[in-house]
Amino acid sequence: MTANISPGTKSNPTIKPPKLNVVPVRHYGRGTFAVIVCVLLVLAIKGLIENPNFDWAVVGKYMFNGAVLQGLVSTLLITVVSLVCILIVSVVIAVMRISKSRILSSFAAGYSFFFRAVPPIVLLIFIGNIGLFFKNFELGIPFTDVMLFSVPVRDVMTPFLASVIGLTLAGSGYVSEIIRAGLISVGRGQHEAAAALGLGGGQALQYIILPQALKVLVPPLGNECIGLIKTVALVSVIGGGDILTVANAIGANTFRPLEMLMVVAIWYLIVVAVMSIGQSFLERRINKER
Amino acid sequence: MSTRTTPIPDPVAMVPPGVSVSIRNVDKYYGAQQVLHDVNLDVKDEEVVCLIGPSGSGKSTLLRCINHLETINTGSIVAAGQIVGYRMHRGRLHELRPKDVGNQRARVGMVFQQFNLFPHLTALQNITLAPRKVKGESSAAAAAYARELLARVGLEGKENHLPWQLSGGQQQRVAIARALAMRPEVMLFDEPTSALDPELVGEVLSVLKDLARTGGKTMIVVTHEMGFAREVADRVIFMDAGRIVEVGAPDQVLGDPQHERTKAFISAVLH
């Protein structure tokens, strides 16, 4: 053991630095507040567990119910698909935002303003019911009769698709701004070095700028991910088939809505805990690479 | 707005033989402030030229104009046989497409004061990226040449180091190798040793000296290292306030300056 210890090593467990022998300051306010917090926490948990109107057996029964688990899978699926769409749309919008073309950058600015301003639930209800406004999705050349294609809205706009579109629009308003910040964080010297070597704008973005921006972007994007999975619960208003949709349906049938919400809450706690661990793991790895 | 201007002569045709960088009547403004005043300079093939002068005299700006990192307001620059940033068509200059600017820049290497290595790529990847992506070299060929260049700048065995694992002097030597990997005809150095710890300046200067002695490339070096300029430069150019004030052999400009402004500068930097 001791043979391995070399002088000057930073963390040497055998060396105990001396400590000044002093009477420490007593933090009375801190202590009192800690006691209050603990008491309140105990009371809250006790109230929930011992409440005669709340049937924990129902929670246990439906935790692993097939329909609930299917809803959970739907939630995860909507999250993943939306996330991929959000990232793609956001990179495009962020690049447009920093474009030298006034029209493109104005469009991108307007896009993020609009979709950050409109509440996601409003967007979802609107897109979920878009069939009420438009009978067909069609693409034609404006002011002519040329029609490239036309499909009935009801055939294509499933709740799943409506959910993904709504969440993508709502999310990309924010995420494009995050990505723009990441792109800007890469210094001018990097752009110049890439240009001086003859790399084109797209190549510089792909090989030099985006990889470096990504490192800055991992913490905020991780937060956005966790935010997104919670926003997915909103798709229940258009019957998106997520875990909350399922739980609400069961709750209405069994007259146990609160117990079913508890099931949803517990599943969310588990999923978000896993995601948070993944996030901190990813951040630590990136920090190690520096 | 677009009035028909009288056709201008082709700048390339006016370049004397044996000249690789030709700067003619160049003015450059930042907003309303003029930073280059009627700069004229011909640098011959394989010539080593040192640009010296006080801060803000326009040396770096002039250098950056040569690979179109800055645009000029009047005049023309011809480097490696092409008008920098433009092409002639029917007596008028036409802006080049970004891709063509990139192809031009591939023939003019640049080394920056702050190295500007790509921090997420290893030394080898830093060097091979542009040859692969711009010139379409195979990974194997690019890597082989990169190793050769790393050896030349004294960094064998550092292929897989990331920039932060290298000292400033080593980073700058990788940056030099990275620029050389494109096999440019002209090399531009923008104060390559100014950001280095004093004890690391020597290793970078010795790489530069080796490059200058080996020949084969036109070198334009913006520097404050007077000893280096005296030793390797074919000509020294003193700039002040956006103008070329004095041009001559190193011994003449540094040892026996003619112009008052040059005398003041030289005596100040040599104490």
Side-chain angles (χ1 to χ4, degrees), chain A residues 76-94:
Chain A
L76 294 175
L77 192 65
I78 294 173
T79 307
V80 171
V81 175
S82 305
L83 186 67
V84 171
C85 295
I86 288 174
L87 287 178
I88 294 170
V89 173
S90 296
V91 168
V92 173
I93 296 290

Side-chain angles (χ1 to χ4, degrees), chain A residues 238-254:
Chain A
I238 54 169
D242 75 314
I243 188 168
L244 185 59
T245 313
V246 175
N248 277 340
I250 296 174
N253 285 336
T254 58

